[in-house]
Amino acid sequence: MALPKYFPEITQASRVAVSFRGYNITNAGQTAALLKHSLLGPLLHDRLQQADALCSEILGYKTTLQKDLEENRPSDLETYSQDLAMIVAVELAHWDAMLEVLGNRSKQIRVLTGYSLGEITATIVSGLFDYEHAMGPVLELSKDAAVLAPNVTMGVLFSRGPQLDLELIRQQCEVITCQGNGVIAISTYLAPNTVLLMGEGDTVDRFKETMQEEFPKTTHLRKNPNHWPPLHTPIVLQKHLRDRAAVMLQTSSCCTELPAYPILSCVTGDIGYNGHNSRQLITDWVDHPQQLWKCVHAILEMGIDHIIHLGPEPNILPATLTRISENVQAQLNQPNWYGYGLRTLSRWTAHRRWLAQMMTRDAVLMRAPYVTQVNLEDHFLEVDDKEIGK
């Protein structure tokens, strides 16, 4: 039965997207508090137990994910594998709870998307893979992915001027890699002006040294202080992770029909899964860069009204959409005829989706301020707090 206190703004006319988060340095979010939630608590308990059982089978040691959450265990590279299992378990519990409270309104879900690990969750809830066959390879490969991490640095490359020259970035990564002292590559296309680099050793530093000659002065690079498993880059080829994933997927149970919900894949940047290419896409997921920007752009092109973010403390996709919205709003608020024209056009594209589809791709971005984002864990806690306060 649908519970009206949850998502009252979602109606039969809404167009909803659901997103799943990936791995981060902090992964628990507000799950410890939600373990006591009347609806989510039992669902989280069951999903975390399911994850514990799979971890024991694949990793060869016992995990106690719910206890870890209750005791606020921090995430680090040593806990990488069980953190992946925990994130997906929480996302699946969130999905179960969301469907329950949406009821018939779940028919308004038009598309799923997931950043990095989140795409694996999307393939599970859409019925392409069952839980064990989707997460088994991820947990198996995670052990060696974590081994690579201590030598890997993330760099955030961004422009405060024109959009980045992606081909030049790829070429420069190849030049540095070819020197033989470490691999560097793009791991995520965040926006036309921002990409994430992953590099071994001092390759990120060497990339920065070349920027003065090769890139505009408006291009900057900031190093992230943490170390990251280098999924979605060719660095993982050193441990044969792609080939090993392909071999494991050959015998995995996989649905050969269209998924229950279309999936915007960060591997391809579009609706990628057709029921016959799922094994290939997940194989590509291992070492291909994440096309996050294309997925965000596609969400706006589809005329989505609401995006529900699932998982503990979702970050990258909500932050990207918020940044677009703020930038567009700043342009709309200009006190001149240019701003007035944009405001008028933005309202038309928000309520006349056919017009947005006919306009240039960049014009679709003006819909961003009219898309409502909902962080599910915050929403559930907020609604419960209001109920308690009555």
Side-chain angles (χ1 to χ4, degrees), residues 324-336:
I324 297 170
S325 178
E326 290 172 349
N327 291 340
V328 170
Q329 196 63 57
Q331 293 294 316
L332 297 177
N333 290 338
Q334 291 187 63
N336 52 35

Side-chain angles (χ1 to χ4, degrees), residues 133-150:
H133 284 104
M135 280 303 293
V138 171
L139 292 178
E140 179 63 36
L141 299 179
S142 69
K143 295 179 285 187
D144 278 337
V147 169
L148 292 168

